[in-house]
Amino acid sequence: MTVDKEIILKALKEAKTPYTAFIARDLGIPERDLFRALPEEQCTELECKNLSEILSELAACKTVFLIVKSGGAVLEVESTVSGTAFSKGYCNVMGKPAHIHIIPDAIDAAFAVHREPNTRKPMKFSLQFFDAEGRPALKVYLTQDKDAKRYREADRTAFDRIRKNYRKG
């Protein structure tokens, strides 16, 4: 089902929830299509072929909040990312406490997202990775410094570098 971009943007603006999965579900579209509708200043589509390099950039961040979706389960964890490596067909994302194995060929779309959801939730800088059907596989959110209640400069720099260096097209 295709939904007009203006309908998607209106739904995002009027949403009572920051959860894009719920907004996409209510619109009857894959979550990936919701991000494709966002304007460039809020969302940059990234080259999936650079998955390992994109995720390696996160080593500059003190911690990130990871959301891994797989079928009927969701894993959420705050973790470091120390780097990536390829082994046996997987892109391994090393960190503490999380260690993730991603199948690079299964990632069909990736986005660097910076948007102000209509809520008080602070998670607004994220990397979103989707499979060929538009279902989320991995979401990575920058975390705020708990004492200063703001994003760390090094984290924002890494995010901006990803948006600039891995932009699709």
Side-chain angles (χ1 to χ4, degrees):
M1 173 181 172
T2 303
V3 174
D4 183 80
K5 180 178 179 176
E6 295 307 314
I7 292 171
I8 295 170
L9 294 175
K10 182 177 185 230
L12 281 164
K13 185 176 181 182
E14 295 174 354
K16 304 272 191 265
T17 176
Y19 302 111
T20 53
F22 297 156
I23 299 166
R25 180 200 60 204
D26 292 347
L27 290 170
I29 62 171
E31 192 175 357
R32 170 205 59 215
D33 295 354
L34 186 142
F35 290 105
R36 283 203 170 126
L38 288 172
E40 176 64 29
E41 64 272 6
Q42 294 181 24
C43 183
T44 302
E45 189 158 3
L46 306 172
E47 284 288 353
C48 293
K49 68 181 180 185
N50 297 63
L51 176 69
S52 179
E53 293 89 347
I54 291 168
L55 294 170
S56 287
E57 294 275 359
L58 296 172
C61 299
K62 183 175 178 182
T63 63
V64 293
F65 191 78
L66 302 166
I67 301 174
V68 179
K69 290 190 159 191
S70 178
V74 178
L75 171 69
E76 299 180 351
V77 64
E78 189 170 329
S79 181
T80 63
V81 174
S82 58
T84 61
F86 279 96
S87 178
K88 300 177 183 171
Y90 290 95
C91 173
N92 299 306
V93 182
M94 282 103 35
K96 291 198 188 272
H99 189 104
I100 304 168
H101 304 284
I102 301 171
I103 303 166
D105 292 343
I107 303 299
D108 188 63
F111 303 92
V113 182
H114 169 229
R115 61 182 287 270
E116 293 278 349
N118 295 338
T119 70
R120 293 182 299 273
K121 300 273 186 191
M123 291 201 242
K124 57 186 170 186
F125 296 96
S126 67
L127 302 176
Q128 308 268 337
F129 300 90
F130 297 89
D131 68 15
E133 286 78 38
R135 294 181 304 242
L138 172 65
K139 297 179 177 208
V140 182
Y141 290 87
L142 296 188
T143 59
Q144 289 189 349
D145 179 291
K146 289 172 182 35
D147 296 325
K149 304 223 185 296
R150 63 180 170 79
Y151 292 96
R152 292 178 270 301
E153 190 62 34
D155 297 6
R156 286 290 314 279
T157 299
F159 182 83
D160 291 341
R161 192 171 42 247
I162 290 167
R163 284 185 70 193
K164 178 183 173 202
N165 293 342
Y166 303 103
R167 171 191 212 116
K168 187 171 183 176

PDB file of all heavy atoms in Angstrom, residues 43-77:
ATOM      1  N   CYS A  43      16.125  13.781   7.879  1.00  0.00           N
ATOM      2  CA  CYS A  43      16.451  12.386   7.590  1.00  0.00           C
ATOM      3  C   CYS A  43      17.306  12.276   6.332  1.00  0.00           C
ATOM      4  O   CYS A  43      16.935  12.796   5.281  1.00  0.00           O
ATOM      5  CB  CYS A  43      15.149  11.598   7.412  1.00  0.00           C
ATOM      6  SG  CYS A  43      15.394   9.844   7.145  1.00  0.00           S
ATOM      7  N   THR A  44      18.433  11.597   6.455  1.00  0.00           N
ATOM      8  CA  THR A  44      19.333  11.380   5.328  1.00  0.00           C
ATOM      9  C   THR A  44      19.404   9.887   5.056  1.00  0.00           C
ATOM     10  O   THR A  44      19.750   9.110   5.951  1.00  0.00           O
ATOM     11  CB  THR A  44      20.745  11.905   5.659  1.00  0.00           C
ATOM     12  OG1 THR A  44      20.655  13.288   5.990  1.00  0.00           O
ATOM     13  CG2 THR A  44      21.696  11.709   4.490  1.00  0.00           C
ATOM     14  N   GLU A  45      19.065   9.482   3.828  1.00  0.00           N
ATOM     15  CA  GLU A  45      19.197   8.063   3.488  1.00  0.00           C
ATOM     16  C   GLU A  45      20.675   7.762   3.271  1.00  0.00           C
ATOM     17  O   GLU A  45      21.399   8.537   2.649  1.00  0.00           O
ATOM     18  CB  GLU A  45      18.372   7.686   2.257  1.00  0.00           C
ATOM     19  CG  GLU A  45      18.341   6.187   2.053  1.00  0.00           C
ATOM     20  CD  GLU A  45      17.172   5.676   1.228  1.00  0.00           C
ATOM     21  OE1 GLU A  45      16.361   6.478   0.739  1.00  0.00           O
ATOM     22  OE2 GLU A  45      17.085   4.448   1.086  1.00  0.00           O
ATOM     23  N   LEU A  46      21.127   6.628   3.802  1.00  0.00           N
ATOM     24  CA  LEU A  46      22.531   6.238   3.755  1.00  0.00           C
ATOM     25  C   LEU A  46      22.751   5.061   2.821  1.00  0.00           C
ATOM     26  O   LEU A  46      21.826   4.305   2.539  1.00  0.00           O
ATOM     27  CB  LEU A  46      23.010   5.856   5.166  1.00  0.00           C
ATOM     28  CG  LEU A  46      22.793   6.895   6.263  1.00  0.00           C
ATOM     29  CD1 LEU A  46      23.143   6.305   7.624  1.00  0.00           C
ATOM     30  CD2 LEU A  46      23.568   8.163   5.989  1.00  0.00           C
ATOM     31  N   GLU A  47      23.989   4.904   2.355  1.00  0.00           N
ATOM     32  CA  GLU A  47      24.375   3.768   1.515  1.00  0.00           C
ATOM     33  C   GLU A  47      24.535   2.523   2.385  1.00  0.00           C
ATOM     34  O   GLU A  47      25.414   2.480   3.244  1.00  0.00           O
ATOM     35  CB  GLU A  47      25.703   4.054   0.808  1.00  0.00           C
ATOM     36  CG  GLU A  47      25.609   5.003  -0.359  1.00  0.00           C
ATOM     37  CD  GLU A  47      24.945   4.410  -1.579  1.00  0.00           C
ATOM     38  OE1 GLU A  47      24.640   3.190  -1.606  1.00  0.00           O
ATOM     39  OE2 GLU A  47      24.719   5.181  -2.525  1.00  0.00           O
ATOM     40  N   CYS A  48      23.711   1.529   2.148  1.00  0.00           N
ATOM     41  CA  CYS A  48      23.757   0.288   2.943  1.00  0.00           C
ATOM     42  C   CYS A  48      25.064  -0.478   2.745  1.00  0.00           C
ATOM     43  O   CYS A  48      25.506  -1.180   3.653  1.00  0.00           O
ATOM     44  CB  CYS A  48      22.602  -0.623   2.567  1.00  0.00           C
ATOM     45  SG  CYS A  48      21.029   0.053   3.030  1.00  0.00           S
ATOM     46  N   LYS A  49      25.673  -0.318   1.590  1.00  0.00           N
ATOM     47  CA  LYS A  49      26.914  -1.056   1.328  1.00  0.00           C
ATOM     48  C   LYS A  49      28.024  -0.637   2.292  1.00  0.00           C
ATOM     49  O   LYS A  49      29.007  -1.341   2.447  1.00  0.00           O
ATOM     50  CB  LYS A  49      27.358  -0.868  -0.128  1.00  0.00           C
ATOM     51  CG  LYS A  49      27.799   0.539  -0.446  1.00  0.00           C
ATOM     52  CD  LYS A  49      28.198   0.701  -1.888  1.00  0.00           C
ATOM     53  CE  LYS A  49      28.625   2.138  -2.153  1.00  0.00           C
ATOM     54  NZ  LYS A  49      28.896   2.375  -3.543  1.00  0.00           N
ATOM     55  N   ASN A  50      27.854   0.480   2.965  1.00  0.00           N
ATOM     56  CA  ASN A  50      28.842   0.974   3.919  1.00  0.00           C
ATOM     57  C   ASN A  50      28.460   0.643   5.362  1.00  0.00           C
ATOM     58  O   ASN A  50      28.889   1.330   6.289  1.00  0.00           O
ATOM     59  CB  ASN A  50      28.991   2.492   3.775  1.00  0.00           C
ATOM     60  CG  ASN A  50      29.508   2.893   2.428  1.00  0.00           C
ATOM     61  OD1 ASN A  50      28.865   2.650   1.420  1.00  0.00           O
ATOM     62  ND2 ASN A  50      30.654   3.498   2.382  1.00  0.00           N
ATOM     63  N   LEU A  51      27.683  -0.396   5.565  1.00  0.00           N
ATOM     64  CA  LEU A  51      27.174  -0.754   6.886  1.00  0.00           C
ATOM     65  C   LEU A  51      28.280  -0.818   7.941  1.00  0.00           C
ATOM     66  O   LEU A  51      28.182  -0.199   8.998  1.00  0.00           O
ATOM     67  CB  LEU A  51      26.428  -2.095   6.819  1.00  0.00           C
ATOM     68  CG  LEU A  51      25.906  -2.651   8.141  1.00  0.00           C
ATOM     69  CD1 LEU A  51      24.771  -1.781   8.666  1.00  0.00           C
ATOM     70  CD2 LEU A  51      25.443  -4.080   7.956  1.00  0.00           C
ATOM     71  N   SER A  52      29.341  -1.552   7.670  1.00  0.00           N
ATOM     72  CA  SER A  52      30.416  -1.716   8.637  1.00  0.00           C
ATOM     73  C   SER A  52      31.076  -0.383   8.977  1.00  0.00           C
ATOM     74  O   SER A  52      31.325  -0.083  10.151  1.00  0.00           O
ATOM     75  CB  SER A  52      31.460  -2.697   8.102  1.00  0.00           C
ATOM     76  OG  SER A  52      32.516  -2.837   9.028  1.00  0.00           O
ATOM     77  N   GLU A  53      31.346   0.426   7.967  1.00  0.00           N
ATOM     78  CA  GLU A  53      31.990   1.724   8.189  1.00  0.00           C
ATOM     79  C   GLU A  53      31.076   2.654   8.994  1.00  0.00           C
ATOM     80  O   GLU A  53      31.532   3.357   9.891  1.00  0.00           O
ATOM     81  CB  GLU A  53      32.365   2.384   6.862  1.00  0.00           C
ATOM     82  CG  GLU A  53      33.451   1.656   6.098  1.00  0.00           C
ATOM     83  CD  GLU A  53      32.908   0.582   5.148  1.00  0.00           C
ATOM     84  OE1 GLU A  53      31.714   0.216   5.249  1.00  0.00           O
ATOM     85  OE2 GLU A  53      33.693   0.099   4.324  1.00  0.00           O
ATOM     86  N   ILE A  54      29.786   2.637   8.658  1.00  0.00           N
ATOM     87  CA  ILE A  54      28.820   3.473   9.388  1.00  0.00           C
ATOM     88  C   ILE A  54      28.819   3.106  10.863  1.00  0.00           C
ATOM     89  O   ILE A  54      28.945   3.958  11.742  1.00  0.00           O
ATOM     90  CB  ILE A  54      27.402   3.324   8.786  1.00  0.00           C
ATOM     91  CG1 ILE A  54      27.342   3.953   7.389  1.00  0.00           C
ATOM     92  CG2 ILE A  54      26.353   3.949   9.709  1.00  0.00           C
ATOM     93  CD1 ILE A  54      26.087   3.598   6.600  1.00  0.00           C
ATOM     94  N   LEU A  55      28.701   1.818  11.150  1.00  0.00           N
ATOM     95  CA  LEU A  55      28.640   1.366  12.532  1.00  0.00           C
ATOM     96  C   LEU A  55      29.974   1.570  13.259  1.00  0.00           C
ATOM     97  O   LEU A  55      29.992   1.844  14.457  1.00  0.00           O
ATOM     98  CB  LEU A  55      28.180  -0.081  12.600  1.00  0.00           C
ATOM     99  CG  LEU A  55      26.732  -0.297  12.131  1.00  0.00           C
ATOM    100  CD1 LEU A  55      26.420  -1.780  11.992  1.00  0.00           C
ATOM    101  CD2 LEU A  55      25.747   0.385  13.061  1.00  0.00           C
ATOM    102  N   SER A  56      31.090   1.483  12.537  1.00  0.00           N
ATOM    103  CA  SER A  56      32.403   1.733  13.152  1.00  0.00           C
ATOM    104  C   SER A  56      32.536   3.167  13.636  1.00  0.00           C
ATOM    105  O   SER A  56      33.222   3.434  14.629  1.00  0.00           O
ATOM    106  CB  SER A  56      33.524   1.422  12.162  1.00  0.00           C
ATOM    107  OG  SER A  56      33.651   0.036  11.996  1.00  0.00           O
ATOM    108  N   GLU A  57      31.879   4.095  12.956  1.00  0.00           N
ATOM    109  CA  GLU A  57      31.922   5.504  13.368  1.00  0.00           C
ATOM    110  C   GLU A  57      31.362   5.694  14.779  1.00  0.00           C
ATOM    111  O   GLU A  57      31.708   6.644  15.471  1.00  0.00           O
ATOM    112  CB  GLU A  57      31.122   6.376  12.392  1.00  0.00           C
ATOM    113  CG  GLU A  57      31.690   6.454  10.997  1.00  0.00           C
ATOM    114  CD  GLU A  57      32.768   7.515  10.826  1.00  0.00           C
ATOM    115  OE1 GLU A  57      33.076   8.223  11.804  1.00  0.00           O
ATOM    116  OE2 GLU A  57      33.292   7.617   9.717  1.00  0.00           O
ATOM    117  N   LEU A  58      30.505   4.776  15.215  1.00  0.00           N
ATOM    118  CA  LEU A  58      29.885   4.894  16.532  1.00  0.00           C
ATOM    119  C   LEU A  58      30.869   4.644  17.676  1.00  0.00           C
ATOM    120  O   LEU A  58      30.558   4.915  18.838  1.00  0.00           O
ATOM    121  CB  LEU A  58      28.697   3.943  16.644  1.00  0.00           C
ATOM    122  CG  LEU A  58      27.548   4.243  15.678  1.00  0.00           C
ATOM    123  CD1 LEU A  58      26.511   3.143  15.742  1.00  0.00           C
ATOM    124  CD2 LEU A  58      26.942   5.600  15.970  1.00  0.00           C
ATOM    125  N   ALA A  59      32.074   4.168  17.354  1.00  0.00           N
ATOM    126  CA  ALA A  59      33.096   3.986  18.391  1.00  0.00           C
ATOM    127  C   ALA A  59      33.467   5.326  19.031  1.00  0.00           C
ATOM    128  O   ALA A  59      33.944   5.357  20.171  1.00  0.00           O
ATOM    129  CB  ALA A  59      34.329   3.308  17.799  1.00  0.00           C
ATOM    130  N   ALA A  60      33.222   6.421  18.330  1.00  0.00           N
ATOM    131  CA  ALA A  60      33.496   7.755  18.878  1.00  0.00           C
ATOM    132  C   ALA A  60      32.489   8.151  19.957  1.00  0.00           C
ATOM    133  O   ALA A  60      32.736   9.082  20.722  1.00  0.00           O
ATOM    134  CB  ALA A  60      33.488   8.794  17.755  1.00  0.00           C
ATOM    135  N   CYS A  61      31.372   7.450  20.033  1.00  0.00           N
ATOM    136  CA  CYS A  61      30.320   7.772  21.009  1.00  0.00           C
ATOM    137  C   CYS A  61      30.605   7.075  22.339  1.00  0.00           C
ATOM    138  O   CYS A  61      31.057   5.937  22.362  1.00  0.00           O
ATOM    139  CB  CYS A  61      28.960   7.309  20.492  1.00  0.00           C
ATOM    140  SG  CYS A  61      28.463   8.103  18.954  1.00  0.00           S
ATOM    141  N   LYS A  62      30.315   7.759  23.429  1.00  0.00           N
ATOM    142  CA  LYS A  62      30.523   7.152  24.748  1.00  0.00           C
ATOM    143  C   LYS A  62      29.639   5.925  24.892  1.00  0.00           C
ATOM    144  O   LYS A  62      30.109   4.842  25.240  1.00  0.00           O
ATOM    145  CB  LYS A  62      30.237   8.166  25.849  1.00  0.00           C
ATOM    146  CG  LYS A  62      30.508   7.621  27.228  1.00  0.00           C
ATOM    147  CD  LYS A  62      30.323   8.673  28.294  1.00  0.00           C
ATOM    148  CE  LYS A  62      30.569   8.053  29.674  1.00  0.00           C
ATOM    149  NZ  LYS A  62      30.359   9.032  30.731  1.00  0.00           N
ATOM    150  N   THR A  63      28.347   6.080  24.661  1.00  0.00           N
ATOM    151  CA  THR A  63      27.412   4.955  24.614  1.00  0.00           C
ATOM    152  C   THR A  63      26.325   5.282  23.603  1.00  0.00           C
ATOM    153  O   THR A  63      26.118   6.453  23.257  1.00  0.00           O
ATOM    154  CB  THR A  63      26.720   4.666  25.972  1.00  0.00           C
ATOM    155  OG1 THR A  63      25.936   5.788  26.343  1.00  0.00           O
ATOM    156  CG2 THR A  63      27.720   4.317  27.050  1.00  0.00           C
ATOM    157  N   VAL A  64      25.650   4.245  23.137  1.00  0.00           N
ATOM    158  CA  VAL A  64      24.481   4.405  22.270  1.00  0.00           C
ATOM    159  C   VAL A  64      23.392   3.491  22.817  1.00  0.00           C
ATOM    160  O   VAL A  64      23.667   2.560  23.576  1.00  0.00           O
ATOM    161  CB  VAL A  64      24.785   4.064  20.785  1.00  0.00           C
ATOM    162  CG1 VAL A  64      25.747   5.076  20.183  1.00  0.00           C
ATOM    163  CG2 VAL A  64      25.325   2.650  20.640  1.00  0.00           C
ATOM    164  N   PHE A  65      22.157   3.767  22.436  1.00  0.00           N
ATOM    165  CA  PHE A  65      21.037   2.924  22.827  1.00  0.00           C
ATOM    166  C   PHE A  65      20.664   2.097  21.610  1.00  0.00           C
ATOM    167  O   PHE A  65      20.329   2.647  20.553  1.00  0.00           O
ATOM    168  CB  PHE A  65      19.854   3.786  23.293  1.00  0.00           C
ATOM    169  CG  PHE A  65      18.768   2.990  23.940  1.00  0.00           C
ATOM    170  CD1 PHE A  65      18.897   2.559  25.251  1.00  0.00           C
ATOM    171  CD2 PHE A  65      17.617   2.665  23.247  1.00  0.00           C
ATOM    172  CE1 PHE A  65      17.889   1.825  25.864  1.00  0.00           C
ATOM    173  CE2 PHE A  65      16.608   1.933  23.846  1.00  0.00           C
ATOM    174  CZ  PHE A  65      16.743   1.510  25.160  1.00  0.00           C
ATOM    175  N   LEU A  66      20.761   0.777  21.720  1.00  0.00           N
ATOM    176  CA  LEU A  66      20.515  -0.136  20.606  1.00  0.00           C
ATOM    177  C   LEU A  66      19.149  -0.790  20.755  1.00  0.00           C
ATOM    178  O   LEU A  66      18.776  -1.216  21.851  1.00  0.00           O
ATOM    179  CB  LEU A  66      21.574  -1.236  20.577  1.00  0.00           C
ATOM    180  CG  LEU A  66      23.026  -0.784  20.470  1.00  0.00           C
ATOM    181  CD1 LEU A  66      23.964  -1.936  20.793  1.00  0.00           C
ATOM    182  CD2 LEU A  66      23.297  -0.235  19.078  1.00  0.00           C
ATOM    183  N   ILE A  67      18.437  -0.866  19.634  1.00  0.00           N
ATOM    184  CA  ILE A  67      17.185  -1.614  19.584  1.00  0.00           C
ATOM    185  C   ILE A  67      17.321  -2.598  18.429  1.00  0.00           C
ATOM    186  O   ILE A  67      17.496  -2.189  17.284  1.00  0.00           O
ATOM    187  CB  ILE A  67      15.967  -0.691  19.371  1.00  0.00           C
ATOM    188  CG1 ILE A  67      15.868   0.330  20.501  1.00  0.00           C
ATOM    189  CG2 ILE A  67      14.691  -1.527  19.266  1.00  0.00           C
ATOM    190  CD1 ILE A  67      14.777   1.366  20.309  1.00  0.00           C
ATOM    191  N   VAL A  68      17.285  -3.868  18.746  1.00  0.00           N
ATOM    192  CA  VAL A  68      17.397  -4.924  17.740  1.00  0.00           C
ATOM    193  C   VAL A  68      16.051  -5.598  17.640  1.00  0.00           C
ATOM    194  O   VAL A  68      15.492  -6.050  18.644  1.00  0.00           O
ATOM    195  CB  VAL A  68      18.486  -5.945  18.127  1.00  0.00           C
ATOM    196  CG1 VAL A  68      18.577  -7.048  17.074  1.00  0.00           C
ATOM    197  CG2 VAL A  68      19.832  -5.266  18.308  1.00  0.00           C
ATOM    198  N   LYS A  69      15.514  -5.672  16.413  1.00  0.00           N
ATOM    199  CA  LYS A  69      14.230  -6.332  16.185  1.00  0.00           C
ATOM    200  C   LYS A  69      14.457  -7.574  15.345  1.00  0.00           C
ATOM    201  O   LYS A  69      15.187  -7.547  14.363  1.00  0.00           O
ATOM    202  CB  LYS A  69      13.266  -5.393  15.473  1.00  0.00           C
ATOM    203  CG  LYS A  69      12.803  -4.259  16.360  1.00  0.00           C
ATOM    204  CD  LYS A  69      11.679  -3.505  15.716  1.00  0.00           C
ATOM    205  CE  LYS A  69      10.907  -2.766  16.770  1.00  0.00           C
ATOM    206  NZ  LYS A  69       9.670  -2.233  16.269  1.00  0.00           N
ATOM    207  N   SER A  70      13.803  -8.639  15.759  1.00  0.00           N
ATOM    208  CA  SER A  70      13.910  -9.896  15.032  1.00  0.00           C
ATOM    209  C   SER A  70      12.632 -10.684  15.241  1.00  0.00           C
ATOM    210  O   SER A  70      12.399 -11.202  16.334  1.00  0.00           O
ATOM    211  CB  SER A  70      15.115 -10.689  15.533  1.00  0.00           C
ATOM    212  OG  SER A  70      15.188 -11.918  14.859  1.00  0.00           O
ATOM    213  N   GLY A  71      11.801 -10.728  14.215  1.00  0.00           N
ATOM    214  CA  GLY A  71      10.569 -11.498  14.329  1.00  0.00           C
ATOM    215  C   GLY A  71       9.699 -11.004  15.473  1.00  0.00           C
ATOM    216  O   GLY A  71       9.278  -9.861  15.495  1.00  0.00           O
ATOM    217  N   GLY A  72       9.479 -11.841  16.471  1.00  0.00           N
ATOM    218  CA  GLY A  72       8.596 -11.504  17.578  1.00  0.00           C
ATOM    219  C   GLY A  72       9.299 -10.991  18.815  1.00  0.00           C
ATOM    220  O   GLY A  72       8.708 -10.971  19.887  1.00  0.00           O
ATOM    221  N   ALA A  73      10.560 -10.575  18.698  1.00  0.00           N
ATOM    222  CA  ALA A  73      11.293 -10.103  19.872  1.00  0.00           C
ATOM    223  C   ALA A  73      11.966  -8.763  19.596  1.00  0.00           C
ATOM    224  O   ALA A  73      12.312  -8.441  18.467  1.00  0.00           O
ATOM    225  CB  ALA A  73      12.345 -11.128  20.267  1.00  0.00           C
ATOM    226  N   VAL A  74      12.130  -7.992  20.671  1.00  0.00           N
ATOM    227  CA  VAL A  74      12.832  -6.710  20.607  1.00  0.00           C
ATOM    228  C   VAL A  74      13.819  -6.684  21.765  1.00  0.00           C
ATOM    229  O   VAL A  74      13.454  -6.961  22.910  1.00  0.00           O
ATOM    230  CB  VAL A  74      11.856  -5.515  20.740  1.00  0.00           C
ATOM    231  CG1 VAL A  74      12.613  -4.205  20.719  1.00  0.00           C
ATOM    232  CG2 VAL A  74      10.806  -5.552  19.646  1.00  0.00           C
ATOM    233  N   LEU A  75      15.068  -6.348  21.479  1.00  0.00           N
ATOM    234  CA  LEU A  75      16.090  -6.206  22.503  1.00  0.00           C
ATOM    235  C   LEU A  75      16.505  -4.745  22.560  1.00  0.00           C
ATOM    236  O   LEU A  75      16.812  -4.143  21.526  1.00  0.00           O
ATOM    237  CB  LEU A  75      17.309  -7.071  22.178  1.00  0.00           C
ATOM    238  CG  LEU A  75      18.533  -6.842  23.062  1.00  0.00           C
ATOM    239  CD1 LEU A  75      18.278  -7.337  24.480  1.00  0.00           C
ATOM    240  CD2 LEU A  75      19.761  -7.496  22.467  1.00  0.00           C
ATOM    241  N   GLU A  76      16.485  -4.167  23.754  1.00  0.00           N
ATOM    242  CA  GLU A  76      16.906  -2.791  23.955  1.00  0.00           C
ATOM    243  C   GLU A  76      18.023  -2.785  24.983  1.00  0.00           C
ATOM    244  O   GLU A  76      17.882  -3.375  26.056  1.00  0.00           O
ATOM    245  CB  GLU A  76      15.746  -1.929  24.452  1.00  0.00           C
ATOM    246  CG  GLU A  76      14.595  -1.860  23.485  1.00  0.00           C
ATOM    247  CD  GLU A  76      13.445  -1.001  24.000  1.00  0.00           C
ATOM    248  OE1 GLU A  76      13.463  -0.591  25.177  1.00  0.00           O
ATOM    249  OE2 GLU A  76      12.525  -0.753  23.221  1.00  0.00           O
ATOM    250  N   VAL A  77      19.146  -2.089  24.662  1.00  0.00           N
ATOM    251  CA  VAL A  77      20.265  -2.047  25.582  1.00  0.00           C
ATOM    252  C   VAL A  77      21.130  -0.821  25.303  1.00  0.00           C
ATOM    253  O   VAL A  77      21.312  -0.427  24.151  1.00  0.00           O
ATOM    254  CB  VAL A  77      21.112  -3.346  25.485  1.00  0.00           C
ATOM    255  CG1 VAL A  77      21.753  -3.500  24.119  1.00  0.00           C
ATOM    256  CG2 VAL A  77      22.165  -3.401  26.569  1.00  0.00           C
TER     257      VAL A  77
END
